[in-house]
Amino acid sequence: MPPLMISTDKAELDVPAIHHFLSTQSTWAIGIPLVTVQRAIDHSLCFGGRLDGRHVAFARVVSDYATFAYLVDVYVLEEYRGRGYSKRLMEAVMAHPDLQGLRRFMLATSTAHGLYARHGFSAPLRPETLMERNFPDIYRC
């Protein structure tokens, strides 16, 4: 199994491939415009995973790099799942020096709870203190 090469260099990201996955295959961003994906990437710490030059995995973190971070848009292409690449991607995210010592690191997910639990994520201890504005179908035409 070839190693997953992970980089935070945005110049190495295959933005059209990321957009394609998010807009057509994700469960959270169907229909998202390319311009929105590019803007999100521009304002985030991104982790791109490549195998033999092909973009196969991605994760994005929105953070102030001091107290808070929010993990979003995590995926491995379906044909590459089950090979440990999501674990490798999460290890890279959690080891990044700019994401150490944060008071709160959050994510929202409907899948892969076991993957995230390995890295200390759990259901909120006090869910009554959290609120959200959620527009799940904002990109659908």
Side-chain angles (χ1 to χ4, degrees):
M1 178 168 51
L4 181 67
M5 303 306 293
I6 299 172
S7 174
T8 57
D9 183 348
K10 291 179 187 176
E12 295 181 19
L13 293 176
D14 185 342
V15 177
I18 294 166
H19 172 253
H20 177 75
F21 178 88
L22 293 175
S23 66
T24 66
Q25 298 171 45
S26 73
T27 58
W28 61 91
I30 295 295
I32 190 170
L34 176 59
V35 67
T36 303
V37 171
Q38 184 64 64
R39 193 163 118 200
I41 287 171
D42 290 345
H43 297 282
S44 301
L45 174 60
C46 299
F47 297 79
R50 290 183 169 274
L51 287 172
D52 298 322
R54 181 176 183 212
H55 176 92
V56 301
F58 182 70
R60 188 167 67 81
V61 178
V62 180
S63 182
D64 63 7
Y65 302 111
T67 65
F68 177 81
Y70 187 63
L71 177 63
V72 292
D73 295 341
V74 180
Y75 73 85
V76 173
L77 294 179
E78 187 170 354
E79 61 264 36
Y80 294 94
R81 294 178 189 163
R83 301 180 192 183
Y85 295 140
S86 63
K87 292 176 189 153
R88 176 69 186 97
L89 184 62
M90 281 303 300
E91 288 167 1
V93 169
M94 300 309 293
H96 195 280
D98 290 342
L99 302 176
Q100 304 308 303
L102 301 172
R103 182 176 64 241
R104 180 167 286 167
F105 203 146
M106 298 182 71
L107 67 91
T109 186
S110 61
T111 62
H113 289 84
L115 170 67
Y116 301 117
R118 285 186 198 101
H119 297 283
F121 289 91
S122 63
L125 293 176
R126 296 179 37 220
E128 69 278 4
T129 66
L130 301 175
M131 298 177 71
E132 71 177 350
R133 289 183 64 202
N134 188 11
F135 306 98
D137 296 324
I138 195 168
Y139 308 120
R140 294 190 193 256
C141 297

